Amino acid sequence: MTQLTIDLNCLTHNYHVLRNQWSSQTKMIAVVKANAYGLGAVEIAKHLVKLGCDYLAVAYAQEGVELREAGIKTPIMVFYPLIENSALLIEHELEPALYSKAFIAAFLKQVKAKKLDHYPVHLKFNSGLNRIGLSEEELLEFIATLATLPFKLKSVYSHLAASENEQPCSFTQAQIEQFKQIKTKVENSSEDLPFFHLLNSSGSFNYPDAQFDAVRTGIGLYGFANRTDWDKELKPIASLATSIVQIHTIQKGESVGYNQGWIAPKKSTIAVLPIGHADGIQRAFGKENGGVWIRDQWAPIIGNVCMDLMMVDVSKIGCSLNDHAIVFSQEHPANELAEKAGTISYELFTGLGKRIKRLYVS
Ligand SMILES: *Cc1c(COP(=O)(O)O)cnc(C)c1O
């Protein structure tokens, strides 16, 4: 059986490590987008709310609706709301990030149609990532008309493009400076002061002086700092394990898997595991790039990863049917496995399929 175990005690640990690193006034915006990075948005969000987290953030409106339908009342920021979901946002009291003139116009229309006032919104400033966000001109134009709009401006934020770079990094420093300037301009022209935020998890480790009023943290809560020294302080909250469903002995020269992806160099023992690329173990892990841990020994994935299964070489491991195979755990962190396929923990987690059973322990 394949199971993803999520240890909520580790989530508690990471929550406190992060919080203790920040100034005591800094708010936490816990990022639970993409089903909390594949780990289960509702369970994770409920636990974070219990711990006292100030704000939740998701990417898209439907993700916020899922949290509301689970009874979560904490403010929820939506980073990338789409115009067609404007009514849905309002219906579920979700707080959009206003990131383009087109979105602002469409959302404003909805808010006016519903005769609402002081609707909570956030402003996303593009300080150099060049992904989504308002230019300085657009942002200041909005601020200038704010008093006439049916909005309550809760926060102004931006996002670093290279927060994993350690100091000094002139590019990141320039983004920080730009954000400081925007902050001053907003403060000088707005009566009702919003809060300001710039950092994600890596940013909070590498640029703690740029905390402003809040930090948006996702991966840090799930146990990774993208930096070796800080990784040690955090605990990976998720472990993925499966178990051997069949063992074969094959002769030298026999092939394994689709397209004869692996040819046995000698008489070999191979184990079949019930997890494949449909579950998030990408084909890039095949051909011995990735592997699993069986009886504490490395068993490389041989040949091509199939949709539902994969084969590992266990010639050097005395193992039996039903033995556990660990894909990642606290001892064998997901970021180390991810690197073997040229990817990152984020992508490995968010790719974990629906078929994998999630178990929460606390
Ligand atoms: C996903 C996201 C975050 C969280 O980033 P982590 O690296 O997981 O801490 C923060 N801010 C924005 C705008 C995001 O999209």
Side-chain angles (χ1 to χ4, degrees):
M1 186 181 59
T2 302
Q3 185 168 289
L4 183 68
T5 306
I6 292 119
D7 189 334
L8 296 173
N9 298 308
C10 295
L11 181 59
T12 304
H13 171 88
N14 298 335
Y15 175 89
H16 291 299
V17 169
L18 291 162
R19 271 259 142 111
N20 291 338
Q21 205 211 334
W22 308 337
S23 116
S24 58
Q25 289 94 320
T26 303
K27 290 192 218 315
M28 177 184 284
I29 301 169
V31 182
V32 294
K33 63 190 180 187
N35 194 27
Y37 295 33
L39 306 179
V42 168
E43 289 82 357
I44 300 245
K46 281 189 171 167
H47 191 75
L48 289 166
V49 168
K50 244 192 284 168
L51 290 172
C53 139
D54 310 279
Y55 244 98
L56 295 167
V58 294
Y60 296 111
Q62 284 84 352
E63 297 175 328
V65 173
E66 188 192 353
L67 298 178
R68 287 285 183 251
E69 286 177 345
I72 293 169
K73 304 272 193 286
T74 307
I76 301 174
M77 187 181 298
V78 181
F79 288 149
Y80 314 112
L82 303 178
I83 287 175
E84 61 264 36
N85 294 327
S86 296
L88 198 62
L89 291 166
I90 296 171
E91 195 183 321
H92 295 274
E93 290 178 61
L94 302 171
E95 305 180 4
L98 306 182
Y99 59 87
S100 72
K101 290 182 81 156
F103 182 78
I104 293 174
F107 191 67
L108 181 59
K109 213 166 134 192
Q110 284 287 335
V111 171
K112 282 184 173 164
K114 299 224 156 51
K115 300 198 168 29
L116 300 170
D117 201 4
H118 305 292
Y119 196 91
V121 295
H122 304 263
L123 282 184
K124 174 69 180 292
F125 170 53
N126 173 18
S127 60
L129 177 60
N130 288 325
R131 189 170 66 181
I132 219 169
L134 299 167
S135 67
E136 171 164 347
E137 204 185 331
E138 291 166 334
L139 190 140
L140 296 176
E141 187 187 311
F142 178 89
I143 296 285
T145 58
L146 185 56
T148 68
L149 300 174
F151 293 139
K152 158 103 180 124
L153 180 60
K154 298 278 291 277
S155 84
V156 175
Y157 74 102
S158 190
H159 195 41
L160 294 177
S163 65
E164 290 171 30
N165 289 359
E166 291 184 30
Q167 298 199 49
C169 165
S170 56
F171 176 79
T172 302
Q173 207 49 51
Q175 273 196 289
I176 295 172
E177 288 312 317
Q178 251 207 310
F179 190 63
K180 278 187 184 158
Q181 285 175 21
I182 279 290
K183 177 174 188 278
T184 309
K185 288 180 183 167
V186 170
E187 284 170 342
N188 289 342
S189 53
S190 161
E191 281 176 18
D192 200 4
L193 281 189
F195 64 94
F196 294 84
H197 45 111
L198 178 64
L199 303 179
N200 65 346
S201 305
S202 305
S204 87
F205 292 106
N206 292 324
Y207 300 91
D209 293 343
Q211 260 170 67
F212 299 94
D213 307 307
V215 172
R216 303 180 304 271
T217 182
I219 202 75
L221 286 167
Y222 311 131
F224 297 93
N226 306 326
R227 192 174 142 168
T228 327
D229 46 350
W230 277 101
D231 275 343
K232 287 192 203 98
E233 306 291 321
L234 301 172
K235 294 183 180 169
I237 74 167
S239 337
L240 179 61
T242 185
S243 46
I244 299 175
V245 289
Q246 193 167 18
I247 294 175
H248 302 287
T249 301
I250 58 169
Q251 303 304 320
K252 179 178 172 176
E254 276 193 74
S255 68
V256 171
Y258 286 130
N259 306 105
Q260 298 186 288
W262 189 73
I263 310 284
K266 56 180 170 45
K267 185 177 175 195
S268 303
T269 312
I270 66 158
V272 184
L273 303 175
I275 184 168
H277 63 71
D279 303 295
I281 309 299
Q282 307 163 22
R283 286 177 93 252
F285 284 114
K287 307 268 181 179
E288 297 169 75
N289 290 322
V292 298
W293 297 87
I294 297 173
R295 299 196 177 195
D296 246 354
Q297 293 176 76
W298 179 247
I301 301 171
I302 50 177
N304 293 311
V305 174
C306 313
M307 188 182 291
D308 317 299
L309 300 157
M310 64 189 195
M311 280 67 90
V312 294
D313 182 7
V314 292
S315 301
K316 291 187 192 133
I317 309 170
C319 57
S320 331
L321 206 60
N322 299 323
D323 271 4
H324 284 297
I326 293 166
V327 183
F328 54 76
S329 63
Q330 286 201 19
E331 295 71 33
H332 305 294
N335 58 340
E336 289 178 14
L337 177 67
E339 260 176 48
K340 295 176 191 291
T343 183
I344 52 175
S345 55
Y346 299 69
E347 193 182 28
L348 181 56
F349 284 156
T350 55
L352 295 172
K354 249 195 194 151
R355 297 196 298 204
I356 298 177
K357 189 172 164 238
R358 270 92 172 147
L359 178 79
Y360 297 87
V361 296
S362 57

